[in-house]
Amino acid sequence: MQKNKLTTKRYQIGNPYPTESVIQKIPLENSIEQLNDFKIHQSKEQVSLQRKLSPETAMYGLGQNMGPINRRGRKFRMFNMQARPQTPDCFAVNGPYSFLIIKEADTYLGILIDCPSEINFDCGFNNQKLLDITIESSDLDIYLINSSHLKDVLQEYVRLTGTAYLPPKWAFGFQQSRYSYMNAEEVKTIANKFRELKIPCDAIYLDIDYMDDYKVFTVDQKPFPNFSSFVQEIQGQGFNIIPIIDPGVKIESGYSVYEDGVKNNYFCKDAEGNDYIAAVWPGLLHFPDFLREEVQNWWGDLHKFFTDLGITAFWNDMNEPEIFYSPETIKKLQQTASEMDYTAWRDLDPIHYKIKMDSYMLNSETYYPDFFHQTPEGPVAHTKLHNIYGFKMLQAASEGLLKLNPNQRYFLISRSSTIGANRLSGVWTGDNHSWWEHLKLNIQMVISLNLCGVLYCGSDIGGHCGNADEELLIRWTQLGAFVPLFRNHTEKSSRQQEPWEYNVQTTQILKDTITLRYALIDYLYSEFLKSRSSHLPFIRALFLEFNDPSLDEINDQFLCGSSLMVAPVIEANARYRNVYLPECNWLFWSASAYNQDNFQILKSGTHRLAVKLSEVPVFVKENELILLTEPEQYLGELEKKEASLVGLVTGTANFSLYYDSGSKINDNPGILNIKIRRNGASIDLEHDLIIGDTPITYQKISLKIFSLSGDCLRREITLK
Ligand code: MIG
């Protein structure tokens, strides 16, 4: 293989809007003509880039989109939208990440387009042999990153767009949500139930019904009287409370957020320069013009309402922004309805028209040309800047929270995001369904988001819409146990989906699965820290670690970091799971309860493994180790004194565990290094401790070291 070194080039067309998606300034190339193998067409309103695709070319990236991780053969519309339902023919989703990695025989080319307008990627959909990228703007930056190593390209992408968001450590615990827990009593019942059943849990979400009339930064006193003592009580049991924040501000005189926004001109304007009116949950409302710094500062400061109560965790929803209707569309609809004529039923036209009107009303996109952002160059229609709206809301929240609690990590996840949001927030992938297809999609989405720098992410476990049966919820929880954002969430009309809502056996399996996550949490967190500081994905496609062409198509297995592989069961009624093990020998763990020792050694290749409903197949790479600890009910409950290490060691295994406060931003991690060398039937052991800002609590580490023949040696390390 010919090695080519990493090169990054930046090209500019027109006068791009400063999105702040890219934070690393690199010099501009003089000539756009030289854009690698791309052909460029420019017009006043559009730029298109085309490139031939050879039969072997694979393409990856583009964030949380629909379909397999190899993007070849599909098209993707980068235009921030709530896809509902998320069906295979949805081309636009909530996270437009215009970063595509093109893999050719001996080289990787990353193309990053920095532009807030719509961008279409046709990855061989209309023409199998052509990659056709169309940007609905003539002002943009293009970055081309070239190397013979995929990791180089990904690390360079992170250098350009920023190191991944780091949540507090408790964010790796289990989280319970529902749209909505309707009142304080209900939340307390849920909290008590977790503790009573000893099912670990670190957070409970408040969905929109906690607000007074859906007014952002308020609490409805009726269902939540004494909100402050309620929060204290729940937090006292070791839970974090995570209220939802929506961008729209209800029009209501006397409501201070609304009045301040109007007074200071913080809202987006209509064509006449009045505050633009749309309707979402609260009814008529205005949208903050988050693209302006003073609006961001204002919005950020509003979080004080919650931080004063000790709440530092939030989820930002509806921030595409999603719009339900506007006064004009209501008028149009009424007009249409009044013109409908019974005698005309022979003729289908009015019905068609009405149907068109309905979908017109509910399609947010139709409203985007009607409102404007203030920019230094004057008002710009939202359509042109659409893709960064959610990102700008996250900037506001992030900066506000850092100001309110300096050097403390905040928790933030968002439905809408784009390039750059990866350094500010985590992502949940929007409204999925209780479908097996969406369990699999969950894997594909988190792998692809990780390729775009978003490490902390996940999907609604059990599915947002629809009803999960017990098997689906179990399998999905088993997958979720290895994904950073581990949240069970569902909507109003779905059945209750808390772990105890099914039957005794299901509760036990869910409890064991969640407990398993807590036993692995120090390890997973450490791998997350390492991934983050090495500027690489945490949830990794197999092709990132192994050089084996047959891995390109694997969409249902993934790695957490570099050495733990998971093959979740993704089909109903599965009694077996086909798994491909690349390159080396693996220690196979059919994981159920964390203290169930059923390790087995498997060779590389394809295996058909029996899986019980309670089991998730997990594999540890040869000469690598995983660490397990006593599980807690919530992070920080116990001072953990003991840990155990398990692995298959045939040569030398170098293990390092990163640990830190889990809560501070400037936090120098400590590192525990353990080196194990196989010496015939025996092993040699070494360890050292690099002291960080937070002391290690472990005193004793027990080792279980397997050899290829399956023998297991036990050793102990004592730390002082
Ligand atoms: O249109 O706040 O994706 O997680 O439960 C639905 C209610 C609005 C969409 C979010 C979902 C949340 C729901 N929201």
Side-chain angles (χ1 to χ4, degrees):
M1 201 205 253
Q2 256 233 315
K3 297 280 168 217
N4 60 319
K5 283 209 316 266
L6 174 72
T7 58
T8 308
K9 295 196 166 156
R10 173 175 167 225
Y11 305 87
Q12 193 164 79
I13 301 178
N15 179 23
Y17 181 87
T19 60
E20 300 177 283
S21 287
V22 174
I23 48 173
Q24 184 72 40
K25 288 295 162 225
I26 62 167
L28 277 175
E29 298 296 315
N30 296 326
S31 162
I32 189 85
E33 314 306 312
Q34 307 298 315
L35 199 69
N36 214 280
D37 299 335
F38 283 97
K39 270 208 200 115
I40 310 178
H41 304 273
Q42 286 187 57
S43 68
K44 227 176 128 238
E45 295 291 315
Q46 238 188 24
V47 173
S48 81
L49 308 171
Q50 296 183 333
R51 188 175 201 271
K52 287 220 181 79
L53 295 172
S54 71
E56 302 76 42
T57 309
M59 282 168 278
Y60 305 106
L62 300 182
Q64 69 193 62
N65 262 288
M66 304 301 299
I69 48 180
N70 182 352
R71 301 312 197 178
R72 177 114 198 209
R74 297 177 56 83
K75 64 175 180 177
F76 303 90
R77 181 173 180 233
M78 297 296 140
F79 195 69
N80 215 335
M81 294 254 273
Q82 173 54 47
R84 194 183 286 115
Q86 295 176 342
T87 52
D89 54 359
C90 283
F91 298 122
V93 295
N94 311 89
Y97 284 81
S98 44
F99 174 54
L100 183 74
I101 303 145
I102 304 163
K103 180 195 174 193
E104 315 255 72
D106 55 3
T107 182
Y108 292 88
L109 175 66
I111 173 161
L112 188 172
I113 299 170
D114 186 5
C115 174
S117 310
E118 172 172 352
I119 305 173
N120 283 283
F121 284 79
D122 181 326
C123 300
F125 177 78
N126 281 315
N127 173 352
Q128 282 192 5
K129 295 185 185 134
L130 195 69
L131 167 64
D132 188 357
I133 306 172
T134 313
I135 301 115
E136 298 297 327
S137 168
S138 47
D139 300 301
L140 54 140
D141 273 309
I142 303 169
Y143 297 82
L144 291 183
I145 311 171
N146 210 185
S147 171
S148 48
H149 301 287
L150 176 55
K151 285 186 178 175
D152 282 356
V153 174
L154 297 176
Q155 287 168 324
E156 183 66 358
Y157 167 83
V158 173
R159 198 176 73 91
L160 296 179
T161 64
T163 304
Y165 160 73
L166 177 63
K169 189 177 177 188
W170 64 256
F172 290 80
F174 182 66
Q175 307 176 18
Q176 182 64 51
S177 183
R178 177 173 184 84
Y179 168 31
S180 301
Y181 294 125
M182 297 300 290
N183 53 57
E185 287 317 306
E186 198 180 349
V187 178
K188 287 181 195 171
T189 309
I190 298 287
N192 290 335
K193 196 85 181 174
F194 273 106
R195 296 300 178 243
E196 179 193 314
L197 295 174
K198 296 207 176 319
I199 301 174
C201 182
D202 264 274
I204 301 178
Y205 283 70
L206 298 182
D207 208 321
I208 49 174
D209 294 289
Y210 79 83
M211 290 182 245
D212 176 16
D213 252 351
Y214 302 138
K215 290 195 289 274
V216 65
F217 301 111
T218 71
V219 170
D220 191 348
Q221 299 295 321
K222 254 186 256 121
F224 290 94
N226 298 319
F227 190 66
S228 164
S229 48
F230 157 77
V231 170
Q232 271 179 25
E233 185 181 332
I234 302 294
Q235 289 181 338
Q237 291 172 280
F239 295 96
N240 291 275
I241 293 274
I242 310 181
I244 197 168
I245 307 282
D246 285 5
V249 175
K250 186 177 174 66
I251 299 176
E252 185 183 286
S253 63
Y255 166 40
S256 64
V257 182
Y258 160 74
E259 300 217 322
D260 287 352
V262 171
K263 194 175 71 208
N264 296 304
N265 264 316
Y266 287 157
F267 297 127
C268 293
K269 302 288 182 189
D270 65 17
E272 277 79 52
N274 303 311
D275 290 337
Y276 174 72
I277 303 174
V280 194
W281 298 115
L284 298 182
L285 51 69
H286 296 315
F287 285 118
D289 188 358
F290 290 122
L291 277 56
R292 284 153 53 203
E293 206 183 319
E294 67 271 29
V295 181
Q296 290 196 356
N297 291 338
W298 168 65
W299 189 262
D301 291 346
L302 287 170
H303 290 76
K304 187 169 189 304
F305 175 79
F306 288 111
T307 54
D308 280 351
L309 297 162
I311 293 177
T312 56
F314 304 91
W315 50 319
N316 282 1
D317 189 22
M318 307 298 274
N319 47 352
E320 293 77 22
E322 193 175 345
I323 295 175
F324 291 169
Y325 61 86
S326 77
E328 282 76 59
T329 44
I330 293 281
K331 257 186 247 150
K332 275 196 217 164
L333 188 69
Q334 283 165 342
Q335 178 73 21
T336 313
S338 73
E339 283 164 9
M340 276 180 79
D341 180 347
Y342 290 112
T343 61
W345 280 80
R346 279 167 289 120
D347 181 344
L348 281 175
D349 267 3
I351 303 174
H352 278 165
Y353 192 71
K354 185 188 167 319
I355 292 168
K356 246 167 71 190
M357 278 307 295
D358 277 352
S359 54
Y360 179 85
M361 272 187 69
L362 287 173
N363 183 354
S364 309
E365 198 175 330
T366 53
Y367 304 97
Y368 296 152
D370 300 343
F371 63 99
F372 297 82
H373 299 277
Q374 302 305 319
T375 76
E377 266 101 68
V380 177
H382 175 79
T383 316
K384 282 274 151 202
L385 301 168
H386 173 64
N387 281 346
I388 54 172
Y389 188 75
F391 165 46
K392 294 289 147 181
M393 181 183 179
L394 294 171
Q395 274 188 332
S398 163
E399 276 160 37
L401 291 167
L402 292 177
K403 219 173 7 167
L404 288 160
N405 278 320
N407 201 23
Q408 291 298 312
R409 294 183 211 167
Y410 56 82
F411 176 94
L412 186 61
I413 57 171
S414 180
R415 193 172 77 174
S416 157
S417 65
T418 193
I419 293 174
N422 39 296
R423 55 182 190 264
L424 308 173
S425 165
V427 165
W428 93 94
T429 61
D431 295 351
N432 58 3
H433 276 66
S434 300
W435 296 340
W436 286 92
E437 290 79 358
H438 280 182
L439 187 162
K440 180 165 180 192
L441 181 65
N442 187 167
I443 303 176
Q444 297 162 338
M445 283 188 168
V446 295
I447 288 177
S448 300
L449 272 169
N450 269 259
L451 288 172
C452 294
V454 181
L455 269 48
Y456 188 78
C457 57
S459 303
D460 292 352
I461 290 169
H464 184 71
C465 308
N467 300 300
D469 65 21
E470 52 189 271
E471 188 184 5
L472 179 61
L473 184 62
I474 288 171
R475 292 306 191 194
W476 213 326
T477 308
Q478 289 169 342
L479 156 62
F482 295 90
V483 170
L485 171 62
F486 186 25
R487 177 174 85 140
N488 175 318
H489 178 56
T490 193
E491 65 142 350
K492 261 189 182 162
S493 56
S494 304
R495 70 195 282 183
Q496 291 293 134
Q497 203 178 259
E498 293 75 20
W500 49 83
E501 287 291 341
Y502 292 74
N503 54 47
V504 180
Q505 187 213 5
T506 304
T507 307
Q508 186 61 46
I509 296 177
L510 293 173
K511 175 177 170 172
D512 286 346
T513 308
I514 296 168
T515 308
L516 170 71
R517 160 71 164 236
Y518 278 75
L520 281 166
I521 220 160
D522 286 4
Y523 171 75
L524 294 174
Y525 180 69
S526 162
E527 290 300 304
F528 187 94
L529 290 178
K530 283 190 231 171
S531 301
R532 177 178 180 268
S533 61
S534 57
H535 292 175
L536 288 170
F538 169 68
I539 299 291
R540 299 185 190 177
L542 273 50
F543 58 72
L544 200 55
E545 291 302 321
F546 303 96
N547 197 357
D548 173 344
S550 65
L551 298 177
D552 291 3
E553 285 108 66
I554 295 189
N555 276 278
D556 57 3
Q557 297 174 214
F558 60 89
L559 294 147
C560 300
S562 59
S563 47
L564 178 73
M565 184 167 73
V566 190
V569 173
I570 56 166
E571 276 167 8
N573 303 317
R575 298 292 168 265
Y576 292 88
R577 174 68 156 92
N578 292 330
V579 180
Y580 183 73
L581 304 181
E583 209 170 272
C584 55
N585 299 297
W586 293 78
L587 186 65
F588 165 45
W589 186 20
S590 204
S592 49
Y594 76 99
N595 46 9
Q596 188 109 35
D597 265 4
N598 49 348
F599 298 100
Q600 209 182 311
I601 286 132
L602 295 178
K603 291 198 180 336
S604 63
T606 303
H607 295 267
R608 184 168 169 77
L609 304 169
V611 277
K612 296 198 188 103
L613 183 58
S614 58
E615 294 172 338
V616 51
V618 171
F619 308 84
V620 189
K621 199 173 154 189
E622 181 174 354
N623 294 322
E624 302 279 353
L625 303 158
I626 56 169
L627 178 128
L628 290 145
T629 65
E630 191 183 341
E632 301 166 282
Q633 292 300 299
Y634 54 90
L635 267 286
E637 184 202 18
L638 308 172
E639 181 156 292
K640 296 183 205 166
K641 303 263 188 249
E642 293 182 15
S644 63
L645 275 174
V646 189
L648 160 66
V649 181
T650 57
T652 305
N654 286 306
F655 175 78
S656 44
L657 182 84
Y658 282 47
Y659 57 94
D660 64 14
S661 70
S663 61
K664 293 202 181 64
I665 296 213
N666 296 315
D667 206 351
N668 188 19
I671 307 171
L672 169 64
N673 292 310
I674 296 178
K675 185 173 187 170
I676 302 170
R677 216 176 301 111
R678 176 146 299 275
N679 184 356
S682 177
I683 50 170
D684 300 328
L685 265 182
E686 275 169 46
H687 75 270
D688 69 89
L689 198 59
I690 300 172
I691 310 283
D693 293 339
T694 304
I696 196 162
T697 59
Y698 305 153
Q699 294 172 349
K700 194 176 92 182
I701 302 199
S702 349
L703 286 80
K704 265 182 233 164
I705 305 301
F706 289 87
S707 72
L708 263 187
S709 61
D711 299 335
C712 180
L713 282 175
R714 285 163 195 270
R715 290 283 188 282
E716 240 171 51
I717 294 176
T718 320
L719 301 173
K720 283 207 203 90

